[in-house]
Amino acid sequence: MVSTGLSRIAQRAKDYPKERFTSLSHHLNAEFLCETWGALNKQGAVGVDRVTATAYAEHLEANLENLANRLKEHRYHAPNVRRVYIPKPGQPNKLRPLGIPSLEDRLLQSATAQIIGAVYEADFLPCSYGFRPGRNPHQAIARLRTALLTESYQWVYEADIRGFFDHLNHDWLIRMFELRIGDPWIIRLIKKWLKAGIQENDGQVRKSTEGSPQGGPISPTLANIYLHYVLDLWFTKAFLPTCRGKVELIRFADDFLMLAEFQQDAIRFDRALRKRLEKFGLEVAEEKTRIIPYGREAWRKGCKEHFDFLGFRHYLGTSKRGKMVVIRHPSPKSIKKFLDRVKDWLSQHQHSHHEVQRKQLTAMVRGFNQYFGLYHCSRKLHGVTREVFRYWHLALRRQSQRSKQTWETWNRKPWFRLPTAKLVHPNV
């Protein structure tokens, strides 16, 4: 089985942490590509070639054999990446670039990411939670809560790397990559993807000299490798031993926090981090980087500071028994982003049948509740659901034949229903 081959790679990487893997590309065969195709998201937007999943699947076996042969004969050329711009959450006037590879390129990137991940999973440190098998944002949030409640941390260093995916340095990444991957054909594939042309909306193509386009399956893996060496290893091996008190790093992709027992260590980390990032072509976003008192001492003094991490806003509160608790709510940015998506969908489908609308809104609300279903979140989730009901009611009123029906009228309809909030993650 192909999965057995990956497990063998992972086991060898764990047993021999200094070994370079010089023979990996043979795993990119038709069988492995077919297995990867089965797990691939086929609902994504089309790339520059406009090939859809349905069209590709019509001759799937032949297409996969053709792709495997081109890889074996080293004739594969990475196509241009289609660039689209989407509004930034909470900043509707600012746009975030998103790269959309072609379907076949996404398939190959996904397969390659699995092979690379099998090697590097043995190297990644426990502080890294993003885009790793068996790890998720709720584990990072749970660790953050546990650390604040049970450890002696009193300060939180909140940081943001400015345009990380846009400024990832290719030369440094390849140097890091080659510490564990010695297969020249895998390395050549990575270089092709990094240097693939970016096709803008007007059809013009520009060459990529830095960064890794967000949207490709390989990008999260490359980001994890880059920050593993730039941040995780440096923090663990170089910075942590020099600290006066306890410190801890919690990272999910390029989002991270540092917890510190003493303010002095947090200040030193800020200075050292800036120098470290500058060496690798990165910088912190000043407006999103700060040190805040956040721990038992801050709670006793009635400190009202809060911070946002992985979509949640974190507060210090007091339980009914008078003990310190960490309260998490969906952040205002997360709520606005979700409600904007609901509003946009309804504006595009305001004349659809009410059952079509109900099915889609149910899926959207259920997904939002599934992620944010933590303790203390119920009130916010109920408020979000009420807003979705309000948007839906307005959309239904715009349908001319129902324009005079009131909110009370719709409430009596058996189909005018959406999922209610509930506790989904009791241990987070």
Side-chain angles (χ1 to χ4, degrees):
M1 294 291 292
V2 175
S3 55
T4 303
L6 292 184
S7 63
R8 288 175 180 171
I9 294 173
Q11 187 60 49
R12 187 165 185 85
K14 183 178 180 180
D15 294 340
Y16 301 93
K18 301 296 183 182
E19 181 175 341
R20 294 177 73 237
F21 287 76
T22 58
S23 180
L24 294 173
S25 56
H26 66 278
H27 289 285
L28 293 171
N29 53 38
E31 182 185 0
F32 186 29
L33 292 172
C34 185
E35 182 179 305
T36 304
W37 172 265
L40 191 71
N41 175 21
K42 303 174 183 64
Q43 305 301 317
V46 296
V48 293
D49 58 4
R50 301 293 173 177
V51 175
T52 65
T54 302
Y56 196 83
E58 288 180 359
H59 306 285
L60 181 61
E61 186 175 342
N63 287 331
L64 295 180
E65 284 289 348
N66 179 267
L67 175 58
N69 288 334
R70 280 183 285 146
L71 289 169
K72 186 177 180 180
E73 298 167 5
H74 313 306
R75 293 187 292 109
Y76 182 81
H77 298 285
N80 295 332
V81 176
R82 186 164 71 90
R83 171 65 56 84
V84 297
Y85 294 87
I86 60 176
K88 283 191 173 183
Q91 303 178 63
N93 296 326
K94 291 187 177 181
L95 299 176
R96 180 167 67 93
L98 190 67
I100 302 178
S102 66
L103 179 70
E104 189 174 71
D105 206 40
R106 272 200 296 129
L107 171 64
L108 183 56
Q109 284 191 31
S110 183
T112 307
Q114 291 181 64
I115 295 172
I116 296 171
V119 174
Y120 272 96
E121 186 59 29
D123 296 355
F124 290 149
L125 301 182
C127 63
S128 170
Y129 291 87
F131 303 106
R132 295 177 57 189
R135 295 210 149 203
N136 57 58
H138 291 108
Q139 292 175 335
I141 294 167
R143 175 54 201 161
L144 174 61
R145 174 181 176 273
T146 301
L148 291 170
L149 292 178
T150 63
E151 306 286 349
S152 55
Y153 300 122
Q154 305 297 335
W155 300 87
V156 170
Y157 179 82
E158 181 184 13
D160 182 78
I161 300 177
R162 192 186 304 279
F164 169 72
F165 283 92
D166 296 331
H167 298 104
L168 188 147
N169 185 281
H170 292 177
D171 293 335
W172 273 116
L173 175 61
I174 295 301
R175 287 173 63 180
M176 297 168 185
F177 196 75
E178 289 177 338
L179 292 174
R180 284 295 254 164
I181 308 295
D183 189 320
W185 304 113
I186 294 290
I187 294 172
R188 182 173 293 186
L189 266 180
I190 299 300
K191 288 181 178 179
K192 286 180 178 181
W193 284 321
L194 289 175
K195 297 186 180 301
I198 307 296
Q199 183 171 309
E200 301 288 351
N201 292 331
D202 58 4
Q204 293 187 355
V205 178
R206 65 174 183 83
K207 293 297 181 182
S208 176
T209 57
E210 65 175 358
S212 176
Q214 289 178 267
I218 199 71
S219 290
T221 303
L222 298 181
N224 263 347
I225 293 172
Y226 202 79
L227 288 175
H228 169 71
Y229 290 105
V230 172
L231 184 59
D232 301 354
L233 274 181
W234 166 78
F235 177 85
T236 304
K237 302 294 185 181
F239 180 79
L240 190 149
T242 68
C243 292
R244 175 187 168 198
K246 295 185 67 174
V247 293
E248 182 173 344
L249 182 72
I250 299 176
R251 180 176 70 82
F252 189 95
D254 60 326
D255 293 332
F256 66 93
L257 297 171
M258 197 276 283
L259 311 180
E261 183 178 1
F262 298 112
Q263 184 181 19
Q264 179 184 359
D265 288 332
I267 294 173
R268 287 180 53 252
F269 178 73
D270 178 60
R271 294 171 181 167
L273 177 67
R274 293 169 188 269
K275 293 181 180 178
R276 178 70 176 176
L277 293 181
E278 183 181 1
K279 178 179 178 181
F280 296 93
L282 302 172
E283 63 176 349
V284 297
E286 296 289 347
E287 67 279 7
K288 298 180 182 178
T289 301
R290 59 182 182 144
I291 300 171
I292 61 173
Y294 199 95
R296 203 161 294 279
E297 286 299 320
W299 170 68
R300 290 194 184 104
K301 295 176 181 178
C303 180
K304 302 298 182 182
E305 288 283 4
H306 62 262
F307 62 88
D308 294 349
F309 185 57
L310 298 181
F312 288 89
R313 178 156 288 183
H314 300 254
Y315 305 85
L316 290 177
T318 304
S319 70
K320 293 180 180 179
R321 297 181 179 180
K323 296 184 178 181
M324 186 184 85
V325 294
V326 178
I327 298 174
R328 288 78 50 90
H329 290 162
S331 69
K333 182 186 290 187
S334 300
I335 293 174
K336 186 179 188 308
K337 180 181 178 182
F338 174 72
L339 291 177
D340 285 347
R341 280 203 303 117
V342 170
K343 190 185 298 184
D344 289 344
W345 189 89
L346 283 172
S347 68
Q348 296 171 20
H349 300 84
Q350 65 179 4
H351 296 296
S352 298
H353 190 270
H354 62 77
E355 279 298 333
V356 174
Q357 294 178 341
R358 185 193 62 80
K359 184 177 180 180
Q360 175 64 21
L361 294 178
T362 295
M364 296 174 81
V365 170
R366 184 175 288 126
F368 189 82
N369 291 346
Q370 181 72 26
Y371 183 80
F372 290 102
L374 275 59
Y375 280 115
H376 309 116
C377 288
S378 295
R379 183 177 297 178
K380 287 284 185 181
L381 296 181
H382 285 307
V384 169
T385 304
R386 282 196 300 270
E387 280 297 289
V388 175
F389 268 122
R390 189 172 69 85
Y391 291 160
W392 190 14
H393 174 236
L394 292 174
L396 291 169
R397 282 179 62 103
R398 293 190 186 101
Q399 296 180 359
S400 58
Q401 68 273 24
R402 298 169 177 166
S403 61
K404 295 182 180 180
Q405 297 192 31
T406 64
W407 175 268
E408 290 73 19
T409 304
W410 291 116
N411 255 342
R412 291 195 293 269
K413 304 283 186 183
W415 50 264
F416 193 64
R417 299 288 182 269
L418 290 174
T420 57
K422 61 181 180 179
L423 179 63
V424 181
H425 307 283
N427 299 320
V428 176

